[in-house]
Amino acid sequence: MLCIGWILITALACMPAAAQPGDAARYLAGLPLPEHSTYQSLVDDEWQSYQESFNTAWQALEQDRFQPMRDWQAQVLASEILPDLPVYYPFGGPDMIHALMLYPHSQDYLLFGLEPPGSLELHPDATPEERHQLLDAVQWALRDIYQRGYFITGRMSSDLNRRELDGVLPLLLVFIARGGYEVLAIEHGWLLPDGRFDTNTSEHLSRGLVTDDADASPDESRDPRPADCANIPGVRVRFRANDNSPEKQVTYLRLDVSDAGLKDCRALETYVTGLGPTNTFIKSASYLLHYATFSRVRRLTLAVSDSVFQDDTGIPYRDFDQADWDILLFGRYTTPIRDFSGVFQPDLNQAYMTKAHSIDNLPFSMGYHWWTSAQNHLIARRRQPLAKPASKENAGSLSRP
């Protein structure tokens, strides 16, 4: 392929990851490649060792967590929610795999975090050392997902800010491919101040705007941003289960959703409100939604959610008005781990002790008490389903299963 022009265009247009995103994802995930794939030239002893190690780790996850999770999703969760609604996963970072396992019927997923969207510079001309460094970095970044079922924020800040692994994109691709899906396209873009997600079209590329810089503007002429409201960098991956399946997409945004971080900008509220109503999933979220400094994203989450599946790090139990929400409890409530103080919930503890709601068990481990059976989760369901935005009114029924 002959590529000319801006170096930024070259970086995107000449990369096989852009031309063959499905094969790039399979290569990173340690999965078999199509016979005539460009990425066959990158298969060497190091990759085969990587594949073997990946398969071993994934097989253990399948047995201990993912298969029980899929069974529980089909038998319990799907019957309690509207399973095809968009998925809103606050503080999810790159953790697409659990969203796919719990919400396989959705076609739209939104995750956000503080980590950069990242890139995928995986080229047949790269040196073996460069490729091996990328594979090692991916495997290292997944260590806590294997053991704990969540990413640790402090480790991600270093794991996903390296030369060979500069953001969440490679991990999103790994999870989508290992989840059994074919990656169709990778689209870098920005969430604009008016709440639109604008991807890198050929027009944007020709203007040399391929960047993760939050201050970059893909279209200055139609971007009347409020003061101090920068474009929010993100990446979107489109994928499907097979040729006959509907296309899905996941959008990842890099942003600080504290009240101070959001400032007076309403791009996130506009985007999520247009996405909703949602099935919201929250786990291992550092109890951020308990603090007054995260009041806006807490209000937004309650406002757009038709259902919430979460552990006790999500929305405080007291914020679910039981005139509006039905609650199902799972597991056993216990004191939060010592990393977090001041977030014990006496009212939630009382609800467990008095069996104020139905209480069942989860057949898998997920959350901060991953090494014990002392885990708690809840499903909160709106008694009256939220109305869909006008553009989505004909997208599906709002009757409970």
Side-chain angles (χ1 to χ4, degrees):
M1 178 187 296
L2 178 62
C3 294
I4 59 175
W6 296 95
I7 188 170
L8 292 172
I9 303 175
T10 305
L12 220 68
C14 292
M15 287 295 172
Q20 299 178 341
D23 292 354
R26 294 185 67 83
Y27 181 85
L28 282 176
L31 291 170
L33 295 164
E35 180 180 356
H36 301 294
S37 170
T38 302
Y39 287 89
Q40 285 285 0
S41 65
L42 306 186
V43 172
D44 56 15
D45 291 344
E46 184 79 14
W47 184 84
Q48 290 175 338
S49 176
Y50 172 83
Q51 181 185 47
E52 182 178 353
S53 174
F54 216 130
N55 286 341
T56 299
W58 208 260
Q59 184 177 5
L61 282 177
E62 278 286 337
Q63 178 177 335
D64 297 338
R65 190 187 310 158
F66 293 153
Q67 190 56 54
M69 187 175 288
R70 280 192 291 263
D71 292 343
W72 180 83
Q73 183 278 328
Q75 297 165 11
V76 179
L77 183 61
S79 66
E80 299 293 347
I81 64 174
L82 301 170
D84 61 345
L85 292 181
V87 173
Y88 170 51
Y89 186 178
F91 314 106
D95 181 26
M96 185 60 178
I97 190 63
H98 289 97
L100 287 172
M101 294 295 168
L102 291 166
Y103 300 97
H105 303 294
S106 178
Q107 294 181 33
D108 209 341
Y109 303 79
L110 173 65
L111 294 78
F112 56 72
L114 297 174
E115 295 70 38
S119 60
L120 180 59
E121 298 188 2
L122 188 60
H123 195 280
D125 293 336
T127 66
E129 181 182 9
E130 290 172 333
R131 297 198 308 270
H132 301 161
Q133 286 175 347
L134 173 59
L135 298 179
D136 289 344
V138 167
Q139 193 77 293
W140 180 246
L142 294 175
R143 65 196 182 282
D144 290 316
I145 283 290
Y146 292 152
Q147 182 178 42
R148 305 165 185 264
Y150 59 89
F151 289 100
I152 296 176
T153 303
R155 292 179 178 176
M156 275 200 298
S157 65
S158 60
D159 291 347
L160 301 184
N161 282 281
R162 305 165 64 171
R163 180 183 58 81
E164 61 271 22
L165 183 59
D166 61 357
V168 306
L169 176 59
L171 302 189
L172 291 176
L173 297 178
V174 165
F175 289 146
I176 292 169
R178 279 283 172 172
Y181 296 91
E182 173 194 6
V183 173
L184 300 174
I186 301 166
E187 301 170 340
H188 290 269
W190 297 265
L191 182 65
L192 303 183
D194 63 8
R196 290 179 297 115
F197 187 77
D198 197 16
T199 58
N200 289 330
T201 64
S202 57
E203 175 186 358
H204 301 154
L205 286 169
S206 69
R207 296 175 59 193
L209 291 168
V210 181
T211 175
D212 279 345
D213 183 357
D215 293 325
S217 174
D219 194 338
E220 299 281 357
S221 64
R222 60 176 184 178
D223 186 18
R225 69 182 68 183
D228 299 325
C229 290
N231 293 334
I232 297 166
V235 64
R236 176 172 286 169
V237 180
R238 294 190 286 110
F239 59 100
R240 65 186 178 189
N242 54 59
D243 291 348
N244 299 317
S245 299
E247 185 175 301
K248 299 172 180 278
Q249 67 179 25
V250 55
T251 304
Y252 172 83
L253 301 174
R254 182 192 192 183
L255 76 165
D256 174 0
V257 296
S258 67
D259 293 352
L262 292 174
K263 302 178 183 178
D264 293 328
C265 307
R266 305 199 63 83
L268 180 66
E269 284 98 332
T270 302
Y271 183 82
V272 176
T273 300
L275 188 70
T278 67
N279 286 320
T280 296
F281 175 43
I282 310 172
K283 71 172 178 64
S284 310
S286 300
Y287 296 91
L288 296 177
L289 294 174
H290 287 234
Y291 300 121
T293 49
F294 286 81
S295 63
R296 276 180 60 184
V297 71
R298 183 172 60 249
R299 288 195 301 269
L300 170 65
T301 302
L302 282 167
V304 302
S305 299
D306 189 75
S307 78
V308 180
F309 176 49
Q310 64 170 35
D311 59 20
D312 63 317
T313 71
I315 297 169
Y317 174 75
R318 63 179 177 271
D319 287 342
F320 289 105
D321 185 339
Q322 293 185 37
D324 300 324
W325 297 88
D326 287 321
I327 306 290
L328 302 175
L329 300 178
F330 297 87
R332 177 166 63 89
Y333 187 69
T334 189
T335 304
I337 59 174
R338 62 186 179 183
D339 305 66
F340 303 98
S341 60
V343 290
F344 180 78
Q345 300 182 67
D347 50 356
L348 182 56
N349 184 54
Q350 184 69 11
Y352 271 90
M353 292 180 64
T354 62
K355 298 184 178 180
H357 312 283
S358 172
I359 301 177
D360 205 345
N361 292 315
L362 283 183
F364 50 87
S365 173
M366 184 176 67
Y368 286 152
H369 291 274
W370 55 273
W371 72 96
T372 77
S373 60
Q375 302 185 55
N376 71 90
H377 297 79
L378 66 79
I379 297 174
R381 307 169 304 176
R382 283 194 179 273
R383 295 189 173 186
Q384 294 297 323
L386 294 173
K388 292 187 179 182
S391 62
K392 297 186 178 183
E393 283 181 352
N394 298 321
S397 170
L398 285 179
S399 301
R400 294 273 180 217

